Amino acid sequence: MAVLDRVSSPRDLRRLSDDDLEQLAAEIRTALVAAVSRTGGHLGPNLGVVEVTLALHRVFDSPHDPIVFDTGHQSYVHKMVTGRRNAFSTLRQEGGLSGYPSRTESEHDWVENSHASTSLSYAEGLAKGYQLKGDADRRVVAVIGDGALTGGMAWEALNNIAGQPDLPLVIVVNDNGRSYSPTVGGLAQYLDSLRTSPLYERALGAAKVVLKRTPVVGPPAFTALHGVKQGIKDVLAPQGMFEDLGLKYVGPIDGHDREAVEHALRAARGFPGPVIVHCLTEKGRGYDRAEQDEADLMHGPGPFDPATGKPTAAAATTWTSVFSDEIVAIGTRRSDVVAITAAMLQPTGLKGFADRYPDRCYDVGIAEQHAMTSAAGLAMAGLHPVVALYATFVNRAFDQVLMDVALHRLPVTIVLDRAGVTGDDGASHNGMWDLSLLQLVPGIALAAPRDGSRLRELLVEAVDVSDGPTVVRFPKGAVTNDVPAVQRVGTTDVLVRDGDEEVLVVAVGSMAPVGLEVAQRLADHGIGVTVVDPRWVVPVDASIVDLARRHRFVLTIEDNGRVGGVGTRIAQAMRDAGVRTPLHDAGIPQEFLDHAKRSAILTQIGLTGQNLARLAVEEIARLAADSPSNVPASHAEPSRSDD
Ligand SMILES: Cc1ncc(C[n+]2csc(CCOP(=O)(O)OP(=O)(O)O)c2C)c(N)n1
């Protein structure tokens, strides 16, 4: 019987022998590769934390002792040993296991995350809360990667933790030297100095022997352990950054030596204050395709063949790759264009630009806020920065866009990939807030390209703007076929003009194909329809208001939250101009959407041609009923034949 089959809760782990535990680690790795190769998901990060996770669950009493995984993408092993092993065939599938910790799944999952660098703040609050309530026997653990440790929130939390020397809190730094790409910055260099020194390698062997002999009960054990490690650390890293901050430090420890990790954790558990346990791990450990993965494609691959590591789906031209090519072309023409990524060079498509113009491309770590204000500084210096983020992560930098970029009318272009429903990664990865948030910013211009040609065109237009921020947002995945315009009015493309001016469909960006389907269905019902793509959705183009005035009903369709979205903004512009045409603003309901395929979610929330055409037909029928003389008789009854 596989050892994994004998583990249904962390308690079972504590009964296993060393041999069983070694066997278990191997079985978990096999199960991880098998599951992720079928469903896609986070592989490299999870292969790297197998021993650390086993050690954590043997030393701490989850869920009584909360274990908070930063970002949460490395929580699969934790899920496997907390009773969810048999559900892995449903990973990231509708109704199945989430790719991140999920409170509805298990009492062992304390937070719902995916946005990085929050674990230390959660942990600090939990520990402080238990302290206040007198729950002295509870220990709180945060597990944070060297990548997540580059985020500003982590530093804010460290500052607060360091100011509470009697706060019992264990911070496990899972240091694999990488975010997606190698982690950047001074902290990374500091951690690297601990990791790579040959002195450390030699000292580690000796230290392990001492560690394993150290009795591990309470503060004295910590002191003994710490003394040993202090000696090592001082040789290697005289600056002692963590200790200078006032935090106890244990490490570095070989994160694949489960026994050594356990010893360190037990010592840390017994210490009555905050302790950093620094574990060195290897991303992708145990699966050669992930270990030799310089481009870090195994960080979060789609379905792949485990034998070759190659994706099983045919490669398609993605929105990201169109952006990637165009930004290189722009960079070639414009030496003032510089690019910034927050630790996502490859995923945001900036790798090509970085290869071509290494001096003009900056990876700032998981630091969206800093990225934005640094862009403001670059713009003040006379450059035109392009900050490439996933749409969901721009939420982090709202104040910086508002006060640091826009207030100074600085020319910064923000490129948002993964805008709209992304689906598989669940609630926090959907890019459904950017248009609502960013349209609050005075002087900003927001573009939503409908296809690859428009993405290229709008990107060029965006970097040509010299007074204030511009945004270009587009969805995840394969780029759709180009949708030609029949006419351009103002900045707006007219895609369809069919029959009388009855329904005006304003299709935002990637919703153009849905708009076209609505038009086709309305035409089938003999209803006149105009479909437009505003291209620049903010500010609202005057021609949209003019068109709205001439039509009987306006339907806006956007892949963004309905509250404060483009539809609301157009309705407001219409009201301001005295245009009373009824408007329906179709978009994403203001809810946290469970993970599922994008197409399934769009259907579920009614963002389909069929549903929206029915809505428009019904509206035209209602208007006809209100004033029959204005509408051809053939429109009076809505048809439901295509329900
Ligand atoms: C605020 C934010 N920005 C960007 C990301 C995208 N992201 C997910 S994992 C990751 C790298 C995390 O590195 P690290 O913490 O070292 O964990 P590892 O994957 O190396 O185990 C990044 C940048 C994110 N999750 N949150």
Side-chain angles (χ1 to χ4, degrees), residues 263-321:
H263 273 266
L265 290 177
R266 280 186 219 285
R269 190 182 199 291
F271 187 74
V275 186
I276 290 195
V277 178
H278 181 190
C279 295
L280 303 184
T281 61
E282 188 187 2
K283 205 165 181 173
R285 172 85 164 200
Y287 176 51
D288 54 356
R289 304 284 156 183
E291 282 177 4
Q292 307 142 15
D293 180 28
E294 273 313 300
D296 213 13
L297 301 176
M298 285 292 164
H299 174 94
F304 64 93
D305 175 358
T308 62
K310 298 255 181 303
T312 40
T317 305
T318 59
W319 291 89
T320 314
S321 63

Short mmCIF file of all heavy atoms in Angstrom, two decimals, residues 263-321:
data_model
loop_
_atom_site.label_atom_id
_atom_site.label_comp_id
_atom_site.label_asym_id
_atom_site.label_seq_id
_atom_site.Cartn_x
_atom_site.Cartn_y
_atom_site.Cartn_z
N HIS A 263 13.99 19.66 12.97
CA HIS A 263 14.74 20.10 14.15
C HIS A 263 14.69 21.61 14.29
O HIS A 263 14.44 22.13 15.38
CB HIS A 263 16.20 19.64 14.05
CG HIS A 263 16.40 18.26 14.60
ND1 HIS A 263 16.78 18.02 15.90
CD2 HIS A 263 16.25 17.06 14.01
CE1 HIS A 263 16.86 16.70 16.08
NE2 HIS A 263 16.54 16.10 14.95
N ALA A 264 14.88 22.28 13.18
CA ALA A 264 14.87 23.75 13.22
C ALA A 264 13.48 24.25 13.61
O ALA A 264 13.34 25.17 14.43
CB ALA A 264 15.27 24.30 11.87
N LEU A 265 12.46 23.62 13.05
CA LEU A 265 11.09 24.08 13.35
C LEU A 265 10.73 23.83 14.81
O LEU A 265 10.08 24.65 15.45
CB LEU A 265 10.08 23.37 12.43
CG LEU A 265 10.10 23.77 10.95
CD1 LEU A 265 9.10 22.92 10.16
CD2 LEU A 265 9.78 25.26 10.78
N ARG A 266 11.18 22.70 15.35
CA ARG A 266 10.87 22.41 16.76
C ARG A 266 11.54 23.46 17.66
O ARG A 266 10.94 23.94 18.62
CB ARG A 266 11.35 21.01 17.14
CG ARG A 266 10.40 19.93 16.71
CD ARG A 266 10.80 18.55 17.22
NE ARG A 266 10.57 17.55 16.21
CZ ARG A 266 9.37 17.10 15.87
NH1 ARG A 266 8.31 17.53 16.51
NH2 ARG A 266 9.24 16.21 14.91
N ALA A 267 12.76 23.77 17.30
CA ALA A 267 13.46 24.78 18.09
C ALA A 267 12.73 26.13 17.99
O ALA A 267 12.49 26.80 19.00
CB ALA A 267 14.89 24.93 17.59
N ALA A 268 12.34 26.47 16.77
CA ALA A 268 11.65 27.75 16.56
C ALA A 268 10.31 27.76 17.29
O ALA A 268 9.90 28.77 17.85
CB ALA A 268 11.45 27.98 15.07
N ARG A 269 9.65 26.61 17.27
CA ARG A 269 8.34 26.50 17.92
C ARG A 269 8.45 26.81 19.42
O ARG A 269 7.57 27.41 20.01
CB ARG A 269 7.79 25.10 17.73
CG ARG A 269 6.36 24.96 18.17
CD ARG A 269 5.84 23.55 18.00
NE ARG A 269 4.39 23.54 17.99
CZ ARG A 269 3.62 23.82 19.04
NH1 ARG A 269 4.18 24.11 20.21
NH2 ARG A 269 2.31 23.84 18.94
N GLY A 270 9.57 26.40 20.00
CA GLY A 270 9.73 26.59 21.44
C GLY A 270 10.20 27.98 21.83
O GLY A 270 10.22 28.32 23.02
N PHE A 271 10.55 28.78 20.88
CA PHE A 271 11.10 30.10 21.21
C PHE A 271 9.96 31.11 21.37
O PHE A 271 9.07 31.20 20.53
CB PHE A 271 12.06 30.56 20.11
CG PHE A 271 12.78 31.82 20.47
CD1 PHE A 271 13.80 31.80 21.41
CD2 PHE A 271 12.42 33.04 19.91
CE1 PHE A 271 14.45 32.98 21.77
CE2 PHE A 271 13.06 34.21 20.25
CZ PHE A 271 14.09 34.18 21.19
N PRO A 272 9.98 31.88 22.44
CA PRO A 272 8.84 32.76 22.71
C PRO A 272 8.90 34.10 21.98
O PRO A 272 8.62 35.15 22.54
CB PRO A 272 8.94 32.97 24.22
CG PRO A 272 10.40 32.87 24.52
CD PRO A 272 10.98 31.92 23.51
N GLY A 273 9.27 34.09 20.74
CA GLY A 273 9.32 35.34 19.97
C GLY A 273 9.37 35.00 18.49
O GLY A 273 9.35 33.82 18.11
N PRO A 274 9.44 35.99 17.65
CA PRO A 274 9.46 35.71 16.21
C PRO A 274 10.80 35.10 15.76
O PRO A 274 11.85 35.58 16.17
CB PRO A 274 9.25 37.08 15.56
CG PRO A 274 9.41 38.10 16.63
CD PRO A 274 9.43 37.43 17.95
N VAL A 275 10.71 34.06 14.96
CA VAL A 275 11.91 33.38 14.46
C VAL A 275 11.80 33.18 12.96
O VAL A 275 10.74 32.76 12.46
CB VAL A 275 12.06 31.97 15.09
CG1 VAL A 275 13.39 31.34 14.67
CG2 VAL A 275 11.94 32.01 16.60
N ILE A 276 12.88 33.44 12.27
CA ILE A 276 12.94 33.14 10.84
C ILE A 276 13.68 31.82 10.66
O ILE A 276 14.79 31.65 11.19
CB ILE A 276 13.67 34.26 10.09
CG1 ILE A 276 12.78 35.50 10.10
CG2 ILE A 276 14.04 33.82 8.67
CD1 ILE A 276 13.14 36.58 9.13
N VAL A 277 13.05 30.89 9.95
CA VAL A 277 13.71 29.62 9.63
C VAL A 277 13.97 29.65 8.13
O VAL A 277 13.03 29.61 7.33
CB VAL A 277 12.84 28.41 10.04
CG1 VAL A 277 13.53 27.12 9.65
CG2 VAL A 277 12.53 28.44 11.53
N HIS A 278 15.21 29.73 7.77
CA HIS A 278 15.58 29.94 6.38
C HIS A 278 15.90 28.60 5.72
O HIS A 278 16.91 27.98 6.02
CB HIS A 278 16.82 30.87 6.37
CG HIS A 278 17.32 31.20 5.00
ND1 HIS A 278 18.52 31.83 4.79
CD2 HIS A 278 16.78 31.00 3.77
CE1 HIS A 278 18.70 32.00 3.49
NE2 HIS A 278 17.66 31.51 2.85
N CYS A 279 15.00 28.13 4.84
CA CYS A 279 15.18 26.83 4.19
C CYS A 279 15.58 27.03 2.74
O CYS A 279 14.93 27.79 2.00
CB CYS A 279 13.87 26.05 4.21
SG CYS A 279 13.34 25.61 5.86
N LEU A 280 16.62 26.34 2.34
CA LEU A 280 17.04 26.40 0.94
C LEU A 280 16.40 25.23 0.20
O LEU A 280 16.56 24.08 0.58
CB LEU A 280 18.56 26.29 0.85
CG LEU A 280 19.34 27.34 1.63
CD1 LEU A 280 20.84 27.19 1.37
CD2 LEU A 280 18.89 28.74 1.22
N THR A 281 15.65 25.56 -0.84
CA THR A 281 14.98 24.50 -1.59
C THR A 281 15.26 24.68 -3.08
O THR A 281 15.75 25.73 -3.51
CB THR A 281 13.45 24.54 -1.37
OG1 THR A 281 12.96 25.81 -1.84
CG2 THR A 281 13.08 24.35 0.08
N GLU A 282 14.92 23.64 -3.81
CA GLU A 282 15.11 23.70 -5.26
C GLU A 282 13.75 23.64 -5.93
O GLU A 282 12.98 22.68 -5.71
CB GLU A 282 15.96 22.50 -5.70
CG GLU A 282 16.38 22.55 -7.12
CD GLU A 282 17.08 21.26 -7.55
OE1 GLU A 282 17.18 20.33 -6.73
OE2 GLU A 282 17.48 21.17 -8.72
N LYS A 283 13.46 24.65 -6.70
CA LYS A 283 12.18 24.66 -7.42
C LYS A 283 12.18 23.49 -8.42
O LYS A 283 13.16 23.29 -9.13
CB LYS A 283 12.06 25.99 -8.16
CG LYS A 283 10.66 26.43 -8.45
CD LYS A 283 10.64 27.90 -8.83
CE LYS A 283 9.25 28.35 -9.11
NZ LYS A 283 9.15 29.78 -9.31
N GLY A 284 11.09 22.75 -8.46
CA GLY A 284 11.01 21.66 -9.43
C GLY A 284 11.69 20.38 -8.97
O GLY A 284 11.78 19.42 -9.74
N ARG A 285 12.15 20.33 -7.74
CA ARG A 285 12.94 19.22 -7.21
C ARG A 285 12.31 17.85 -7.52
O ARG A 285 11.13 17.62 -7.25
CB ARG A 285 13.04 19.39 -5.70
CG ARG A 285 13.65 18.24 -4.97
CD ARG A 285 15.15 18.36 -4.98
NE ARG A 285 15.74 17.50 -3.99
CZ ARG A 285 16.96 17.66 -3.52
NH1 ARG A 285 17.71 18.66 -3.91
NH2 ARG A 285 17.44 16.82 -2.63
N GLY A 286 13.11 16.96 -8.11
CA GLY A 286 12.67 15.58 -8.29
C GLY A 286 12.02 15.30 -9.64
O GLY A 286 11.70 14.15 -9.93
N TYR A 287 11.80 16.31 -10.45
CA TYR A 287 11.26 16.09 -11.80
C TYR A 287 12.20 16.82 -12.75
O TYR A 287 12.24 18.06 -12.76
CB TYR A 287 9.83 16.62 -11.89
CG TYR A 287 9.22 16.53 -13.27
CD1 TYR A 287 9.23 15.34 -14.00
CD2 TYR A 287 8.62 17.64 -13.86
CE1 TYR A 287 8.67 15.26 -15.27
CE2 TYR A 287 8.04 17.57 -15.12
CZ TYR A 287 8.08 16.38 -15.82
OH TYR A 287 7.52 16.31 -17.07
N ASP A 288 12.96 16.05 -13.52
CA ASP A 288 14.07 16.67 -14.26
C ASP A 288 13.62 17.80 -15.18
O ASP A 288 14.31 18.80 -15.32
CB ASP A 288 14.90 15.61 -15.01
CG ASP A 288 14.06 14.74 -15.91
OD1 ASP A 288 12.81 14.90 -15.92
OD2 ASP A 288 14.63 13.89 -16.62
N ARG A 289 12.43 17.66 -15.77
CA ARG A 289 11.97 18.71 -16.70
C ARG A 289 11.75 20.04 -15.96
O ARG A 289 11.81 21.10 -16.55
CB ARG A 289 10.65 18.33 -17.37
CG ARG A 289 10.69 17.03 -18.09
CD ARG A 289 11.42 17.17 -19.41
NE ARG A 289 11.94 15.88 -19.81
CZ ARG A 289 12.67 15.65 -20.89
NH1 ARG A 289 13.01 16.66 -21.67
NH2 ARG A 289 13.08 14.44 -21.19
N ALA A 290 11.42 19.93 -14.69
CA ALA A 290 11.19 21.16 -13.91
C ALA A 290 12.49 21.65 -13.28
O ALA A 290 12.67 22.85 -13.08
CB ALA A 290 10.15 20.90 -12.83
N GLU A 291 13.40 20.71 -13.01
CA GLU A 291 14.67 21.14 -12.40
C GLU A 291 15.52 21.92 -13.41
O GLU A 291 16.16 22.90 -13.06
CB GLU A 291 15.47 19.92 -11.93
CG GLU A 291 14.96 19.34 -10.61
CD GLU A 291 15.71 18.08 -10.20
OE1 GLU A 291 16.68 17.69 -10.89
OE2 GLU A 291 15.32 17.48 -9.18
N GLN A 292 15.49 21.44 -14.70
CA GLN A 292 16.30 22.12 -15.72
C GLN A 292 15.40 23.09 -16.49
O GLN A 292 15.22 22.95 -17.69
CB GLN A 292 16.87 21.11 -16.72
CG GLN A 292 17.62 19.99 -16.09
CD GLN A 292 17.37 18.68 -16.82
OE1 GLN A 292 16.87 18.62 -17.94
NE2 GLN A 292 17.74 17.58 -16.18
N ASP A 293 14.83 24.01 -15.80
CA ASP A 293 13.78 24.82 -16.40
C ASP A 293 14.14 26.29 -16.30
O ASP A 293 13.52 27.04 -15.56
CB ASP A 293 12.47 24.52 -15.66
CG ASP A 293 11.28 25.30 -16.19
OD1 ASP A 293 11.30 25.65 -17.38
OD2 ASP A 293 10.37 25.57 -15.41
N GLU A 294 15.15 26.68 -17.08
CA GLU A 294 15.64 28.06 -16.98
C GLU A 294 14.56 29.09 -17.28
O GLU A 294 14.48 30.14 -16.66
CB GLU A 294 16.85 28.26 -17.91
CG GLU A 294 18.17 27.88 -17.27
CD GLU A 294 18.34 28.47 -15.86
OE1 GLU A 294 18.31 29.70 -15.71
OE2 GLU A 294 18.48 27.69 -14.90
N ALA A 295 13.69 28.78 -18.26
CA ALA A 295 12.64 29.76 -18.62
C ALA A 295 11.49 29.72 -17.63
O ALA A 295 10.55 30.49 -17.72
CB ALA A 295 12.12 29.46 -20.02
N ASP A 296 11.55 28.79 -16.69
CA ASP A 296 10.54 28.64 -15.64
C ASP A 296 9.15 28.35 -16.18
O ASP A 296 8.15 28.78 -15.62
CB ASP A 296 10.51 29.87 -14.72
CG ASP A 296 10.14 29.45 -13.29
OD1 ASP A 296 10.18 28.24 -13.02
OD2 ASP A 296 9.80 30.31 -12.48
N LEU A 297 9.12 27.56 -17.25
CA LEU A 297 7.83 27.20 -17.81
C LEU A 297 7.10 26.21 -16.90
O LEU A 297 5.89 26.04 -16.99
CB LEU A 297 8.01 26.59 -19.21
CG LEU A 297 8.71 27.53 -20.20
CD1 LEU A 297 8.96 26.85 -21.53
CD2 LEU A 297 7.90 28.81 -20.38
N MET A 298 7.84 25.56 -16.01
CA MET A 298 7.22 24.61 -15.09
C MET A 298 6.76 25.27 -13.79
O MET A 298 6.38 24.59 -12.86
CB MET A 298 8.18 23.45 -14.79
CG MET A 298 8.31 22.47 -15.94
SD MET A 298 6.74 21.58 -16.15
CE MET A 298 6.99 20.89 -17.78
N HIS A 299 6.84 26.57 -13.73
CA HIS A 299 6.28 27.26 -12.54
C HIS A 299 4.76 27.00 -12.52
O HIS A 299 4.22 26.57 -11.51
CB HIS A 299 6.56 28.76 -12.61
CG HIS A 299 5.90 29.54 -11.51
ND1 HIS A 299 6.52 29.86 -10.34
CD2 HIS A 299 4.64 30.05 -11.41
CE1 HIS A 299 5.69 30.53 -9.55
NE2 HIS A 299 4.55 30.66 -10.19
N GLY A 300 4.14 27.27 -13.64
CA GLY A 300 2.68 27.06 -13.70
C GLY A 300 2.28 26.62 -15.09
O GLY A 300 1.63 27.39 -15.81
N PRO A 301 2.65 25.41 -15.47
CA PRO A 301 2.37 24.99 -16.85
C PRO A 301 0.89 24.66 -17.08
O PRO A 301 0.16 24.39 -16.13
CB PRO A 301 3.20 23.71 -16.98
CG PRO A 301 3.26 23.16 -15.59
CD PRO A 301 3.28 24.36 -14.67
N GLY A 302 0.48 24.68 -18.34
CA GLY A 302 -0.80 24.09 -18.72
C GLY A 302 -0.59 22.58 -18.79
O GLY A 302 0.50 22.09 -18.47
N PRO A 303 -1.62 21.82 -19.22
CA PRO A 303 -1.45 20.36 -19.33
C PRO A 303 -0.23 20.02 -20.19
O PRO A 303 0.03 20.69 -21.19
CB PRO A 303 -2.75 19.92 -19.99
CG PRO A 303 -3.75 20.97 -19.60
CD PRO A 303 -2.97 22.25 -19.57
N PHE A 304 0.52 19.00 -19.79
CA PHE A 304 1.73 18.64 -20.53
C PHE A 304 1.96 17.14 -20.47
O PHE A 304 1.33 16.43 -19.68
CB PHE A 304 2.94 19.40 -19.98
CG PHE A 304 3.28 19.05 -18.55
CD1 PHE A 304 4.20 18.05 -18.24
CD2 PHE A 304 2.66 19.72 -17.49
CE1 PHE A 304 4.50 17.72 -16.92
CE2 PHE A 304 2.96 19.39 -16.17
CZ PHE A 304 3.88 18.39 -15.89
N ASP A 305 2.86 16.68 -21.35
CA ASP A 305 3.22 15.26 -21.37
C ASP A 305 4.32 15.05 -20.33
O ASP A 305 5.42 15.59 -20.49
CB ASP A 305 3.69 14.91 -22.78
CG ASP A 305 4.21 13.49 -22.87
OD1 ASP A 305 4.23 12.79 -21.84
OD2 ASP A 305 4.61 13.09 -23.98
N PRO A 306 4.08 14.24 -19.30
CA PRO A 306 5.08 14.10 -18.23
C PRO A 306 6.41 13.54 -18.74
O PRO A 306 7.47 13.86 -18.19
CB PRO A 306 4.44 13.12 -17.25
CG PRO A 306 3.02 13.00 -17.63
CD PRO A 306 2.86 13.47 -19.03
N ALA A 307 6.36 12.76 -19.82
CA ALA A 307 7.60 12.15 -20.32
C ALA A 307 8.51 13.20 -20.95
O ALA A 307 9.74 13.16 -20.80
CB ALA A 307 7.26 11.07 -21.34
N THR A 308 7.92 14.16 -21.63
CA THR A 308 8.73 15.14 -22.36
C THR A 308 8.68 16.54 -21.73
O THR A 308 9.52 17.38 -22.00
CB THR A 308 8.21 15.30 -23.80
OG1 THR A 308 6.85 15.79 -23.73
CG2 THR A 308 8.23 13.97 -24.54
N GLY A 309 7.67 16.78 -20.93
CA GLY A 309 7.47 18.12 -20.37
C GLY A 309 6.86 19.08 -21.37
O GLY A 309 6.65 20.25 -21.08
N LYS A 310 6.53 18.58 -22.57
CA LYS A 310 5.99 19.47 -23.62
C LYS A 310 4.47 19.64 -23.44
O LYS A 310 3.76 18.69 -23.10
CB LYS A 310 6.24 18.87 -25.00
CG LYS A 310 7.70 18.70 -25.34
CD LYS A 310 8.13 19.77 -26.32
CE LYS A 310 9.58 19.67 -26.74
NZ LYS A 310 10.58 19.70 -25.70
N PRO A 311 3.97 20.86 -23.75
CA PRO A 311 2.53 21.09 -23.62
C PRO A 311 1.73 20.15 -24.53
O PRO A 311 2.18 19.85 -25.65
CB PRO A 311 2.35 22.53 -24.09
CG PRO A 311 3.71 23.14 -24.12
CD PRO A 311 4.70 22.03 -24.21
N THR A 312 0.58 19.70 -24.06
CA THR A 312 -0.24 18.81 -24.88
C THR A 312 -1.12 19.60 -25.86
O THR A 312 -1.53 19.07 -26.88
CB THR A 312 -1.12 17.89 -24.00
OG1 THR A 312 -1.62 18.65 -22.91
CG2 THR A 312 -0.34 16.73 -23.46
N ALA A 313 -1.41 20.85 -25.55
CA ALA A 313 -2.23 21.65 -26.47
C ALA A 313 -1.33 22.28 -27.53
O ALA A 313 -0.17 22.62 -27.24
CB ALA A 313 -2.96 22.73 -25.70
N ALA A 314 -1.88 22.43 -28.74
CA ALA A 314 -1.12 23.07 -29.81
C ALA A 314 -0.87 24.53 -29.43
O ALA A 314 -1.73 25.18 -28.83
CB ALA A 314 -1.92 23.01 -31.10
N ALA A 315 0.33 25.01 -29.78
CA ALA A 315 0.66 26.40 -29.44
C ALA A 315 -0.19 27.35 -30.27
O ALA A 315 -0.36 27.15 -31.47
CB ALA A 315 2.13 26.66 -29.69
N ALA A 316 -0.76 28.36 -29.63
CA ALA A 316 -1.57 29.35 -30.34
C ALA A 316 -0.90 30.71 -30.18
O ALA A 316 -0.11 30.92 -29.26
CB ALA A 316 -2.97 29.39 -29.74
N THR A 317 -1.22 31.63 -31.08
CA THR A 317 -0.74 33.00 -30.90
C THR A 317 -1.56 33.64 -29.79
O THR A 317 -2.79 33.69 -29.86
CB THR A 317 -0.93 33.82 -32.20
OG1 THR A 317 -0.28 33.11 -33.24
CG2 THR A 317 -0.32 35.21 -32.05
N THR A 318 -0.88 34.08 -28.77
CA THR A 318 -1.59 34.64 -27.62
C THR A 318 -1.55 36.17 -27.66
O THR A 318 -0.72 36.77 -28.35
CB THR A 318 -0.93 34.18 -26.30
OG1 THR A 318 0.43 34.61 -26.32
CG2 THR A 318 -1.00 32.67 -26.14
N TRP A 319 -2.44 36.76 -26.88
CA TRP A 319 -2.42 38.22 -26.71
C TRP A 319 -1.04 38.64 -26.20
O TRP A 319 -0.49 39.65 -26.63
CB TRP A 319 -3.50 38.65 -25.71
CG TRP A 319 -4.91 38.47 -26.18
CD1 TRP A 319 -5.68 37.35 -26.04
CD2 TRP A 319 -5.72 39.43 -26.86
NE1 TRP A 319 -6.93 37.57 -26.59
CE2 TRP A 319 -6.98 38.84 -27.08
CE3 TRP A 319 -5.51 40.75 -27.29
CZ2 TRP A 319 -8.01 39.51 -27.73
CZ3 TRP A 319 -6.55 41.42 -27.93
CH2 TRP A 319 -7.79 40.79 -28.15
N THR A 320 -0.52 37.84 -25.26
CA THR A 320 0.78 38.17 -24.67
C THR A 320 1.85 38.23 -25.75
O THR A 320 2.71 39.12 -25.76
CB THR A 320 1.17 37.10 -23.62
OG1 THR A 320 0.05 36.85 -22.78
CG2 THR A 320 2.36 37.54 -22.80
N SER A 321 1.82 37.26 -26.69
CA SER A 321 2.89 37.24 -27.69
C SER A 321 2.76 38.39 -28.68
O SER A 321 3.76 38.91 -29.17
CB SER A 321 2.95 35.88 -28.41
OG SER A 321 1.76 35.66 -29.12
#
